[in-house]
Amino acid sequence: MSSEETHIKAEPVQEKMQEKMQDEGPAAAAQASGSSGSAAREKALSCRSLLLTGYGGYDKVKLQVKTLSPPQLQAGEVLVRVKACGLNFAELMGRQGLYDPLPPPPVTMGMEGAGIIEAVGKDVEDKKVGDRVIAMSRSGMWQEFVVVSNERTFLMPDQMSFEEGAAIPVNYLTAYMMLFDMANLKPGKSVLIHMAAGGVGIAATQLCRTVPDVTVFGTASAAKHETISQGGVTHPIDYRTKDYAEEIHKISPKGVDIVLDPLGGSDTQKSFNLLKPMGSLIVFGAANCVTGQKRSLLALAKIWYNQLSLSALKLMTTNKAIGGFHLGYITDEQLFSGAMAKLLELYNQGKIKPHIDSCHHFEEVVNAMRRMHERQNIGKVILLPEPKKEEKEKPKSKAELGEHAEKTETAANNKKEKVAQEVKAEND
Ligand SMILES: NC(=O)c1ccc[n+]([C@@H]2O[C@H](COP(=O)([O-])OP(=O)(O)OC[C@H]3O[C@@H](n4cnc5c(N)ncnc54)[C@H](OP(=O)(O)O)[C@@H]3O)[C@@H](O)[C@H]2O)c1
C-alpha cells in the first residue's frame, strides 16, 4: 500500500479532478465554480482508491491513499462519496490489457458505484448534497471520492442498500437493453442465458421473469443450480459435464428464441445454431479469452480462430438475427436514463433484486478478483472503499474468564514454587 501518491495519473475524470483541486478550502473552491458542497469538507480529503499499475496478475491492483484538495466542479458535475462499487468481468479483462475502453495504466478501474452526493456543480438541479445515488463512469469508480457527470447518477430508492445500488448499473442495464431493446423479448419465448449464475446472468433471469411464460435455459456449474433455479432458471444445465446444445435439443428440439452470448469463440457458433427461425443472438462478451490470472495468447488465438463469421446472405436465408451489445460504447445518456428509470421501478415493485455474492474491502481486492476468476461467485461481487475494521477480540464468557483466572493463579503458584526451590538450592 502506498500513501500520498497524488502524482499518479488516473482515469480522465479523476485526473481532471486532481488538476482542479486547490489548496484553498472546499467551500471557497465550490463557490468559485458556482457549486455547492458540504461545509464538513473544509479540509483536504483523504481518498482511498485502487490503482491498476500495469497489466498482469492480481498484484497489479494496488491500494493507495491520496490526499486530495477540494474539487472545483464543472457545470453538470457532482462529487460522490462512494460507499460501494461493483467488480465486473470487464475489470478482470482490463487488468490483463484486454478491455479496450479502459485507459492505459496507471488508472483507477471501476464502472459503477453507489454513494452520497458531497457537492454539486452549477446547473445540477435534480440532486442535492446528501442524496443517495447510483453512479456510473467509464472507469475510476474504485475510489472513495469521485467526480462524475450528474447525468450518470440516479437517485436510489430509500430501501435500496449501497451494495445493491452498486450492483445495478452494469449487470442490469446490460441485461435489460439486450433483452428488451435488442432481442425484443415477448411472452412465451425461450432464452438461453450463459453464465447464468454470474451478475449479468442473474439480472437477465430476473428480467425474463417479468414477462409471462418465458422459458429460461441457464448454463452454470452444478453447485449453483439450486440458486439459479430458485431465481427463475427453468432448465439449469451443467455446461462443465454436458453439452449444453444437446441438452437444450432434448427439451426443445427446435432450439430457442434468444441467446445471450458472453463467451465468444466456438460458443458463438454453437449459440447461433441453437436459434429457432426468427431468433436473435446477442453477442456481448468474450469470457472464453480469460483463462488464468494473466493474459493467455493461446486462449486469444482460439477465440479469434473459432469466431463466427457469416455473410449477410447467410443470415437472410436462415431467418436469424445477430446483434452486438457493449455498454461501454453507449454515449446516448437518454438510453441509460430511460432503462435505469424502468429498472428502478421494477426494483420498487419487488420484481428485481441484486443477488450480492460477497463484499470485500479495498484491501481485500485480490480475494474479490480471485473469487470471480476462479468462478466461485454467484451474483455480484462488491468492493467497499471503507477500511476494514480490525476484528475486535471476542468478549470472553464467564466460564472462560474463570478458567483463565484459575490458569493464571496456577501459573503464578508454580512460578513462586520454582523460585523458592531455586533460592533453597542456592542456600544449600
Ligand atoms: N458487453 C457488455 O456491455 C457487458 C456488460 C457486462 C458484462 N459483460 C460480459 O458478460 C459476461 C458475464 O459478466 P458478469 O459480470 O456477469 O460475470 P460474473 O458475475 O463474473 O460471472 C462469472 C460466472 O460465470 C461462469 N462462467 C462461465 N463461463 C465462464 C468463463 N469462460 N469464464 C469465467 N466465468 C465463466 C462462472 O460460473 P460457473 O461456476 O457457472 O462456471 C462464473 O462464476 C462477461 O463475459 C462480461 O464481459 C458484457
Side-chain angles (χ1 to χ4, degrees):
M1 186 201 310
S2 62
S3 63
E4 307 293 321
E5 292 180 42
T6 45
H7 61 283
I8 293 175
K9 177 182 167 287
E11 68 95 34
V13 174
Q14 187 192 349
E15 194 184 8
K16 207 165 66 176
M17 170 179 165
Q18 284 177 12
E19 276 168 14
K20 286 188 286 172
M21 302 285 181
Q22 304 291 316
D23 283 335
E24 305 154 36
Q31 267 169 19
S33 63
S35 62
S36 63
S38 109
R41 287 178 304 94
E42 284 182 0
K43 293 182 276 183
L45 302 170
S46 165
C47 177
R48 286 157 55 86
S49 65
L50 291 172
L51 191 78
L52 179 70
T53 55
Y55 297 130
Y58 300 136
D59 60 332
K60 297 295 178 195
V61 181
K62 301 241 192 292
L63 173 66
Q64 64 166 346
V65 183
K66 300 170 288 187
T67 303
L68 305 174
S69 34
Q72 277 186 306
L73 300 176
Q74 298 279 5
E77 286 179 342
V78 294
L79 173 67
V80 179
R81 179 192 288 265
V82 179
K83 304 296 274 184
C85 21
L87 169 65
N88 285 293
F89 204 85
E91 282 110 20
L92 303 189
M93 297 177 75
R95 205 196 61 230
Q96 299 189 356
L98 297 173
Y99 189 71
D100 287 345
L102 183 73
V107 64
T108 293
M109 298 195 288
M111 297 182 287
E112 59 190 350
I116 300 168
I117 294 202
E118 286 276 316
V120 298
K122 241 170 59 181
D123 302 337
V124 175
E125 275 153 21
D126 58 337
K127 314 259 169 41
K128 59 181 185 322
V129 172
D131 280 345
R132 289 164 17 102
V133 288
I134 291 170
M136 293 172 68
S137 174
R138 276 207 168 174
S139 57
M141 287 302 303
W142 289 358
Q143 54 186 329
E144 227 175 332
F145 292 96
V146 67
V147 175
V148 285
S149 159
N150 179 43
E151 285 184 314
R152 294 216 170 178
T153 64
F154 309 90
L155 289 170
M156 282 168 61
D158 289 345
Q159 72 276 27
M160 185 182 273
S161 68
F162 289 120
E163 289 80 2
E164 285 180 336
I168 296 256
V170 175
N171 290 170
Y172 282 84
L173 281 174
T174 299
Y176 185 94
M177 289 175 160
M178 289 194 298
L179 285 172
F180 298 117
D181 295 335
M182 294 196 93
N184 198 16
L185 177 63
K186 289 197 182 118
K189 298 286 178 188
S190 53
V191 184
L192 167 59
I193 300 176
H194 288 290
M195 297 172 87
V200 178
I202 288 184
T205 305
Q206 290 180 0
L207 289 167
C208 284
R209 275 175 64 169
T210 65
V211 179
D213 304 324
V214 170
T215 303
V216 177
F217 294 86
T219 62
S221 41
K224 301 177 180 176
H225 284 196
E226 200 183 327
T227 313
I228 61 170
S229 300
Q230 282 167 3
V233 171
T234 329
H235 302 290
I237 300 169
D238 180 6
Y239 73 102
R240 293 185 189 229
T241 56
K242 291 185 178 138
D243 182 308
Y244 62 83
E246 277 175 23
E247 294 303 303
I248 290 170
H249 278 132
K250 279 186 208 161
I251 300 162
S252 174
K254 288 186 181 161
V256 295
D257 296 298
I258 297 170
V259 184
L260 305 180
D261 171 32
L263 298 168
S266 56
D267 285 298
T268 309
Q269 177 73 63
K270 214 161 149 178
S271 297
F272 181 78
N273 293 343
L274 269 170
L275 287 180
K276 289 179 185 172
M278 306 299 145
S280 301
L281 166 67
I282 312 295
V283 179
F284 72 110
N288 283 335
C289 72
V290 176
T291 47
Q293 224 193 103
K294 293 191 184 159
R295 189 170 71 173
S296 156
L297 290 177
L298 181 67
L300 285 171
K302 251 168 95 176
I303 214 169
W304 176 82
Y305 183 76
N306 290 316
Q307 71 184 318
L308 175 64
S309 160
L310 278 180
S311 70
L313 203 63
K314 168 90 176 170
L315 267 186
M316 189 177 86
T317 55
T318 52
N319 290 301
K320 296 179 182 181
I322 302 183
F325 179 85
H326 201 312
L327 196 70
Y329 288 97
I330 291 180
T331 49
D332 181 345
E333 301 300 332
Q334 279 178 354
L335 282 177
F336 285 135
S337 52
M340 191 58 98
K342 294 203 176 102
L343 287 169
L344 293 177
E345 198 182 316
L346 289 171
Y347 177 89
N348 284 329
Q349 292 166 351
K351 292 186 176 163
I352 60 167
K353 187 166 176 66
H355 184 105
I356 309 295
D357 170 79
S358 50
C359 296
H360 309 257
H361 292 270
F362 272 4
E363 41 276 80
E364 302 165 318
V365 62
V366 170
N367 297 345
M369 290 187 296
R370 184 178 288 126
R371 196 162 168 79
M372 202 178 252
H373 257 304
E374 295 181 357
R375 306 189 187 186
Q376 292 164 355
N377 64 308
I378 303 185
K380 191 76 186 179
V381 179
I382 294 290
L383 294 168
L384 304 171
E386 191 183 300
K388 185 176 178 178
K389 291 197 180 78
E390 290 299 318
E391 275 184 32
K392 281 194 196 138
E393 215 183 303
K394 258 189 14 202
K396 291 202 166 75
S397 68
K398 276 192 183 161
E400 281 172 327
L401 285 172
E403 195 185 319
H404 178 70
E406 212 170 277
K407 275 188 192 156
T408 319
E409 202 181 324
T410 317
N413 287 341
N414 289 345
K415 203 170 174 191
K416 262 193 226 161
E417 208 171 294
K418 205 175 161 210
V419 172
Q421 277 170 4
E422 280 168 7
V423 171
K424 188 168 176 286
E426 249 174 54
N427 290 342
D428 289 348

